[in-house]
Amino acid sequence: RQGITIAASEGTPVQAIHPGRVVFSDWLRGTGLLVIVDHGEGYMSLYGANQALSKQAGDWVDAGDIVATSGMANELSGNRENKQTRPGMYFEIRHHGEAQNPDRWFSN
């Protein structure tokens, strides 16, 4: 895991951070229900540990569109074997397959 876990109550709407096209919307081992949005120019956003998915592969989304609802996220605590589960969502930004710092994608 190279993204961040965002605390949120279960069932909180998960919004797309930028316009793009959904390229994956399904269950993935280790991540749970996952949505991946391709934003072009090699950028993708990943939204994992969801309770339910609102979009499917092939759907176009705008920034702010609801792509899922948050569920229970696993977060590593201390070492890789010590996982904690808490309400929230896993979020990651990738550029040409490399994880990026997601801070610049959030508005104040």
Side-chain angles (χ1 to χ4, degrees):
R1 293 190 160 210
Q2 298 176 0
I4 59 173
T5 300
I6 300 170
S9 300
E10 283 186 85
T12 299
V14 174
Q15 298 175 309
I17 201 144
H18 194 75
R21 188 171 193 180
V22 176
V23 294
F24 184 86
S25 181
D26 206 341
W27 184 86
L28 184 67
R29 185 172 26 154
T31 309
L33 290 174
L34 173 69
V35 175
I36 301 174
V37 179
D38 183 343
H39 303 290
E41 297 183 19
Y43 286 97
M44 292 189 169
S45 57
L46 292 76
Y47 311 84
N50 295 298
Q51 185 178 72
L53 303 174
S54 302
K55 299 293 181 183
Q56 56 189 345
D59 289 348
W60 289 94
V61 296
D62 287 321
D65 283 357
I66 296 170
V67 296
T69 55
S70 64
M72 296 295 285
N74 288 329
E75 184 172 82
L76 297 175
S77 175
N79 61 48
R80 288 199 158 303
E81 290 78 36
N82 187 11
K83 289 184 182 178
Q84 295 180 344
T85 303
R86 65 183 180 119
M89 179 208 55
Y90 177 76
F91 178 73
E92 184 176 320
I93 290 286
R94 290 189 165 256
H95 186 240
H96 296 296
E98 298 282 329
Q100 305 290 304
N101 182 341
D103 288 347
R104 72 181 192 93
W105 289 75
F106 292 101
S107 61
N108 296 328

